[in-house]
């Protein structure tokens, strides 16, 4: 069994040794699999492929016997309280945004449905296979070649484990894998070079658990490239580390939370040879998303308009509370924030959480 994980990417750190990149991706799948152990009516994420992706060393039957509660408690003890819930909240928010961005437009709705899903730093993400998005939507996954090779092998195993459901079989054929190291190659050029990718089409882009591992200038360059490689009506969903983790940890967690545990999280990332390179403060209290530092970054690079910039605390009220699973403040980890943005003046309003008037 792994003895530690890097909480934001949930990367495995076996005996504190540096993991492989695919090991990092496995950790994200572990969090989804833990959530999928709950009864259907209590799940915020249901991923039939997560178990195969996670690479548990513990026999599956023993994992099932231990149950959701014990697995979550072990993960919290090895990292920090609430880290699994943070991963689940992030996954659910991103899931909802992708589904709504791709859904057909309702009568009178001023929104352009997205016809492409672009997943940056995809790792072992399974959205292209498990989400109920229209069959004509093409899915493009961008990540390093070694990660994609492992992902494709594990997905084949996962689909066999899921008995090759019709949804899995049809979805797998529309996924396009683009092997690319974002630190070495031009993203927009690589996308434009692919004969099936349409840079003029409305595209929903996910940048999940990635920005903290990139220098700020690389994040800006990526946003610029995305602006050039997506059409009007495009949407972007991104996560970033709250800079207060470093300057005022108590502000990045709930009341009574052991704020010192957040330093342990950064130490895990450092030991995994994946140090956090970037973070941003949240918008000012009561301020609009576009007024925050990350919102200004989006506007300056790629003409993205931030509509919402939300914490895990807001996700707690939107997702966990309605099903009787509200996270107590003493377990509320808010080290990461979630941003939803629209391309230029494409309109469409906010989706998902009710963040109030957060557009300019």
């Amino acid at each position: 069994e792994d003895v530690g994980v890097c909480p934001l990417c949930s990367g495995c750190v076996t005996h504190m040794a540096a993991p492989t990149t695919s090991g990092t991706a496995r950790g994200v799948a572990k969090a989804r699999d833990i959530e999928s152990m709950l009864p259907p009516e209590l799940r915020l994420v249901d991923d039939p492929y997560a178990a195969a992706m996670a690479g548990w060393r513990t026999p599956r039957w023993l994992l099932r016997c231990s149950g959701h509660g014990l697995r979550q408690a072990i993960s919290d003890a090895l990292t920090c309280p609430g880290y699994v819930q943070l991963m689940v909240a992030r996954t659910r928010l991103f899931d909802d945004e992708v589904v709504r961005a791709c859904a057909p437009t309702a009568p009178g709705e001023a929104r352009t449905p997205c016809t492409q899903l672009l997943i940056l730093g995809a790792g072992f993400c399974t959205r292209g296979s498990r989400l109920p998005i229209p069959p004509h939507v093409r899915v493009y996954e961008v990540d390093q070649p070694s990660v994609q090779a492992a992902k494709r092998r594990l997905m084949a195993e996962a689909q066999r484990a899921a008995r090759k459901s019709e949804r899995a079989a049809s979805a797998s054929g529309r996924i396009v894998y683009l092997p690319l190291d974002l630190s070495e190659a031009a993203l927009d050029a690589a996308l434009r070079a692919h004969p099936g990718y349409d840079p003029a089409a409305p595209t929903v882009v996910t940048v999940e658990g990635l920005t903290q591992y990139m220098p700020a200038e690389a994040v800006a360059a990526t946003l610029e490239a995305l602006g050039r490689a997506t059409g009007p009506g495009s949407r972007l969903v991104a996560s970033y580390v709250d800079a207060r983790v470093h300057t005022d940890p108590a502000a990045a967690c709930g009341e009574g939370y052991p704020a010192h545990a957040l330093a342990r999280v950064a130490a895990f990332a450092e030991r995994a040879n994946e140090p956090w390179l970037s973070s941003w403060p949240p918008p000012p209290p009561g301020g609009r998303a576009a007024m925050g530092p990350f919102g200004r970054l989006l506007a300056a690079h790629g003409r993205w308009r931030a509509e919402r910039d939300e914490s895990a605390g807001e996700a707690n009220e939107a997702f966990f509370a309605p099903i009787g699973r509200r996270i107590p403040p003493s377990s509320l980890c808010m080290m990461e924030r979630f941003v939803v943005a629209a391309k230029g003046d494409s309109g469409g309003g906010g989706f998902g959480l009710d963040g109030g008037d957060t557009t300019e």
Side-chain angles (χ1 to χ4, degrees):
E1 183 67 53
D2 300 312
V3 299
V5 296
C6 174
L8 291 191
C9 62
S10 306
C12 306
V13 188
T14 304
H15 301 299
M16 304 312 298
T20 63
T21 304
S22 60
T24 299
R26 283 182 188 273
V28 182
K30 288 186 176 184
R32 297 197 305 268
D33 191 43
I34 290 173
E35 181 70 10
S36 298
M37 292 179 181
L38 284 168
E41 66 274 12
L42 293 178
R43 293 176 196 157
L44 291 175
V45 174
D46 185 12
D47 189 345
Y49 314 110
M53 296 284 180
W56 295 107
R57 298 183 182 183
T58 305
R60 188 66 182 163
W61 66 267
L62 183 56
L63 287 174
R64 286 297 180 188
C65 289
S66 63
H68 170 273
L70 180 58
R71 296 303 308 170
Q72 180 171 292
I74 292 172
S75 295
D76 285 356
L78 292 173
T79 54
C80 66
Y83 114 82
V84 170
Q85 293 101 318
L86 177 65
M87 292 292 97
V88 169
R90 189 178 80 182
T91 298
R92 177 57 184 264
L93 186 145
F94 276 61
D95 284 357
D96 285 358
E97 291 299 326
V98 168
V99 170
R100 287 167 176 152
C102 297
T105 306
E109 185 180 5
R111 176 177 63 85
T112 303
C114 292
T115 57
Q116 296 179 147
L117 167 58
L118 176 59
I119 305 173
L120 293 193
F124 292 167
C125 176
T126 59
R127 286 193 176 93
S129 298
R130 64 182 173 81
L131 292 185
I133 55 180
H136 66 272
V137 175
R138 201 75 181 271
V139 181
Y140 295 86
E141 296 193 5
V142 176
D143 212 324
Q144 299 180 49
S146 61
V147 176
Q148 293 196 335
K151 157 74 182 293
R152 298 179 79 163
R153 175 178 57 81
L154 290 170
M155 179 54 82
E157 296 174 5
Q159 289 177 341
R160 284 195 293 271
R163 297 177 181 161
K164 296 183 179 179
S165 68
E166 289 185 10
R167 179 165 68 91
S170 62
S172 61
R174 70 176 172 198
I175 297 176
V176 177
Y177 295 92
L178 297 177
L180 185 69
D181 187 334
L182 291 175
S183 66
E184 299 177 356
L187 174 62
D188 54 329
L191 290 171
R192 290 173 180 272
H194 190 278
Y197 186 83
D198 183 1
T203 304
V204 55
V205 183
T206 64
V207 186
E208 182 181 11
L210 182 62
T211 61
Q212 64 264 31
Y213 301 108
M214 303 170 67
E217 58 271 19
V219 175
T222 298
L223 294 174
E224 289 272 9
L226 289 171
R228 294 189 295 267
T230 56
S234 292
R235 310 281 297 174
L236 183 144
V237 196
S239 63
Y240 70 88
V241 168
D242 187 330
R244 295 177 299 180
V245 169
H246 307 294
T247 60
D248 184 12
C253 50
E255 184 177 355
Y257 185 98
H260 63 274
L262 300 185
R264 191 166 73 235
V265 177
F268 272 129
E270 190 79 28
R271 288 189 178 188
N273 291 331
E274 294 186 347
W276 295 349
L277 302 177
S278 299
S279 61
W280 290 264
R288 297 172 176 172
M291 295 169 58
F294 201 86
R296 295 197 298 271
L297 179 75
L298 287 165
H301 301 280
R303 294 182 58 246
W304 297 98
R305 187 184 75 253
E307 295 178 343
R308 305 200 323 274
D309 185 327
E310 298 170 344
S311 70
E314 291 165 284
N316 183 25
E317 294 305 312
F319 298 135
F320 288 92
I323 56 174
R325 294 177 55 197
R326 179 182 276 113
I327 306 167
S330 59
S331 296
L332 187 56
C333 177
M334 300 188 293
M335 68 180 76
E336 227 182 12
R337 296 185 65 88
F338 318 119
V339 177
V340 179
K343 177 75 175 292
D345 56 356
S346 58
F351 292 129
L353 305 181
D354 183 6
D357 180 12
T358 57
T359 60
E360 287 198 314

